[in-house]
Amino acid sequence: MSFAKVFIMRWRLLESGTQNAAINMATDEALLLLCDEKPHITLRFYQWTRPTLSLGYFQSVHDVDLEECARRGFAWIRRPTGGRAVLHDRELTYSVVGPLEIFGESVSRSHEKISLALARGLHKLGIRAELIPRPRLLKDAAACFAAPASVELTVQGKKIIGSAQMRTKRSLLQHGSIPITLDVEALEALMKLPAFVLRRTATSVSEALGREPSIEELKRALIEGFQEFFGIDLICRDLAPLEQELAHRLTAEKYATPQWNRLR
């Protein structure tokens, strides 16, 4: 059986639970780096120990109000991926890691495939999400949810999932925020963006569904969506020892350091 066929049929499902910001980002990067050495596909779900503002790799710390972040008791961190700031609070975060040959060589094509799998999952929950037909650009907005990109999902024109991607020569990492509820007041304070803009451009799973689902209900729907869209089996597995070791090293040497987080 060919390499591609094996990975089309069977992926690893990794449920990491609730962890701090540094280990969350370090684990995603460790999975990506080790995918180059030993190819695998992993669909991962995780949450955050406390509300956390994540900045895109290229984003300046001056784009957001870090003093307000500290005043509220929120954490903050710089992601390895691009894009704009996201507040991770009442949400489920997903990540997908795998070889480029499985998802497509272009960023837009791979992003589109993963978005369509997410859309299939949301549909199972009762939410009809679609790819944005034409992106709206708010050039000065610091918030990820202020402007959906052409390969991201919207409900009635409002962005419902914010995703970003990072690549090596052989593999990709895409991760994203699926808000169950949106704290618009906190977003307004942290992102220096009027609340009415966020209410016009962003939505949450609860708003779209008309009720608040549990994390497990949302997760089950997304798992089924990925299995159906990609035609795969998802097998629950833990991190391998080498992945754990690299994640802890990246946490200590990179994601928990001011040198990384205040890079720009």
Side-chain angles (χ1 to χ4, degrees), residues 61 64-74 76 189-190 262:
V61 293
V64 297
D65 191 337
L66 294 182
E67 290 184 4
E68 178 66 16
C69 196
R71 190 185 70 78
R72 290 170 179 262
F74 292 179
W76 70 277
L190 296 170
R262 293 189 176 273

Side-chain angles (χ1 to χ4, degrees), residues 175-202:
H175 55 193
S177 166
I178 309 171
I180 294 177
T181 62
L182 280 175
D183 188 341
V184 174
E185 185 271 332
L187 287 167
E188 180 180 39
L190 296 170
M191 311 288 190
K192 309 172 186 177
L193 189 68
F196 77 86
V197 173
L198 290 163
R199 291 192 179 96
R200 190 181 66 215
T201 61

Side-chain angles (χ1 to χ4, degrees), residues 34-240:
L34 291 173
C35 187
D36 276 0
E37 299 178 15
K38 186 178 180 181
H40 62 87
I41 303 181
T42 297
L43 172 62
R44 177 176 176 240
F45 293 109
Y46 56 94
Q47 295 171 268
W48 308 68
T49 52
R50 58 176 169 144
T52 300
L53 187 67
S54 74
L55 305 183
Y57 175 74
F58 297 101
Q59 194 168 21
S60 169
V61 293
H62 301 296
D63 286 351
V64 297
D65 191 337
L66 294 182
E67 290 184 4
E68 178 66 16
C69 196
R71 190 185 70 78
R72 290 170 179 262
F74 292 179
W76 70 277
I77 197 161
R78 184 175 299 280
R79 299 190 306 270
T81 55
R84 290 178 280 192
V86 175
L87 178 59
H88 305 277
D89 189 2
R90 293 188 52 76
E91 64 155 47
L92 179 65
T93 307
Y94 81 90
S95 67
V96 175
V97 173
L100 294 177
E101 67 180 274
I102 302 300
F103 293 98
E105 293 297 325
S106 74
V107 173
S108 61
R109 181 57 181 146
S110 56
H111 197 155
E112 180 182 15
K113 284 183 177 180
I114 295 169
S115 290
L116 290 172
L118 291 164
R120 183 78 62 95
L122 291 178
H123 185 252
K124 288 188 165 295
L125 196 63
I127 298 172
R128 292 192 174 274
E130 59 184 0
L131 298 178
I132 184 75
R134 182 180 301 168
R136 296 190 300 273
L137 298 179
L138 298 178
K139 294 182 180 179
D140 297 327
C144 171
F145 279 84
S150 60
V151 288
E152 291 187 310
L153 293 175
T154 61
V155 175
Q156 297 182 341
K158 295 181 178 182
K159 184 171 180 174
I160 193 168
I161 299 179
S163 301
Q165 198 174 112
M166 172 187 181
R167 292 173 159 232
T168 63
K169 289 184 178 179
R170 298 187 185 93
S171 310
L172 68 79
L173 157 68
Q174 180 168 311
H175 55 193
S177 166
I178 309 171
I180 294 177
T181 62
L182 280 175
D183 188 341
V184 174
E185 185 271 332
L187 287 167
E188 180 180 39
L190 296 170
M191 311 288 190
K192 309 172 186 177
L193 189 68
F196 77 86
V197 173
L198 290 163
R199 291 192 179 96
R200 190 181 66 215
T201 61
T203 190
S204 66
V205 171
S206 294
E207 183 181 17
L209 193 57
R211 65 178 179 85
E212 185 171 330
S214 69
I215 287 290
E216 288 304 316
E217 184 184 3
L218 174 57
K219 196 187 303 180
R220 282 197 305 271
L222 294 171
I223 288 169
E224 290 177 13
F226 270 86
Q227 289 182 140
E228 287 188 10
F229 181 81
F230 285 104
I232 49 116
D233 291 324
L234 279 163
I235 311 300
C236 289
R237 293 284 188 271
D238 294 328
L239 284 173

